[in-house]
Amino acid sequence: MDEKETLRVGAAVRRRRRSLELTLAVVAERSGLSVPFLSQVENERARPSRASLEKVADALGTTAVELLAAADPACTVDVVRADTPPGQDLRSPGGERSSARSLVRGHHQLHATEFTGDHDTAREFQHRNDELLYVADGAVEIEAEGRAHRLGRGDTLYLTGGVRHRWRATEPDTRVLVVAVAEHIDAVQDRRR
């Protein structure tokens, strides 16, 4: 098996196992592989052989090909240039133009997006995992948990997963960077309030 293909297959194995709500012990029993080996595979410290990957896939009710297709790219370095065009042109309710540009390409554990211009203040967000908002230029007002937070250039706001929030630019040409743990990651345990 190609090293590039299997390098990040562990994350796909973990996602599949967790989506089925299986423990490592159950997968080990079904596959005939050891718990320590499976843990190493999931944490990218061991690469399974083709035969081992097929055993894991069988234990997870899928195929090795599907696990490889769901694997994270082996590339660990990716540059997104400043002149990369925005992925989305947005319009605020008042008709002002804004844009959103992804700063991370592909399917990863972390997402980062740059928002420029005004923003739809009527839109409320609630993300499963934690996120950080950083004001690169301008100023914003963020409403979270019933409180308004005013942030200026260089300020950040951290939001725990599950917190409902909305935000708006309060100055022209505002740029906000939003960095968040990807939705497919089980980074946050069920938080009971």
Side-chain angles (χ1 to χ4, degrees), residues 125-127 131 143-145 159-165 193:
F125 299 94
Q126 181 180 24
H127 302 287
E131 70 180 288
E143 198 178 301
E145 294 190 325
L159 297 163
T160 301
V163 172
R164 290 184 183 278
H165 60 284
R193 290 185 184 223

Side-chain angles (χ1 to χ4, degrees), residues 115-127:
F115 292 94
T116 304
D118 205 358
H119 189 67
D120 182 356
T121 58
R123 186 169 178 202
E124 185 175 65
F125 299 94
Q126 181 180 24
H127 302 287

Side-chain angles (χ1 to χ4, degrees), residues 2-159:
D2 183 3
E3 177 178 313
K4 205 171 192 180
E5 283 184 318
T6 61
L7 186 61
R8 301 284 301 173
V9 76
V13 169
R14 181 184 306 113
R15 282 192 300 271
R16 175 72 180 179
R17 177 180 63 79
R18 288 181 175 172
S19 74
L20 297 171
E21 298 180 355
L22 298 175
T23 64
L24 279 173
V26 169
V27 176
E29 184 180 317
R30 289 181 181 180
S31 66
L33 301 169
S34 72
V35 170
F37 175 71
L38 291 171
S39 176
Q40 288 179 339
V41 167
E42 284 192 1
N43 290 299
E44 309 296 349
R45 284 184 253 136
R47 281 195 328 256
S49 66
R50 180 65 154 188
S52 293
L53 186 59
E54 287 174 1
K55 288 178 183 179
V56 171
D58 287 344
L60 296 173
T62 189
T63 66
V65 171
E66 287 186 19
L67 285 175
L68 288 171
D72 290 339
C75 177
T76 57
V77 176
D78 187 27
V79 176
V80 176
R81 299 282 178 202
D83 61 357
T84 301
Q88 262 183 307
D89 278 329
L90 310 169
R91 284 203 184 270
S92 70
E96 297 88 6
R97 290 191 75 98
S98 62
S99 65
R101 179 172 72 105
S102 182
L103 302 176
V104 178
R105 289 185 279 232
H107 182 75
H108 296 288
Q109 296 181 10
L110 183 73
H111 289 283
T113 306
E114 175 186 60
F115 292 94
T116 304
D118 205 358
H119 189 67
D120 182 356
T121 58
R123 186 169 178 202
E124 185 175 65
F125 299 94
Q126 181 180 24
H127 302 287
R128 177 177 171 198
N129 292 316
D130 298 358
E131 70 180 288
L132 177 84
L133 284 82
Y134 171 76
V135 181
D137 287 309
V140 298
E141 183 174 272
I142 302 170
E143 198 178 301
E145 294 190 325
R147 291 184 55 208
H149 305 273
R150 295 172 198 261
L151 285 86
R153 184 172 188 251
D155 291 341
T156 61
L157 179 82
Y158 179 86
L159 297 163

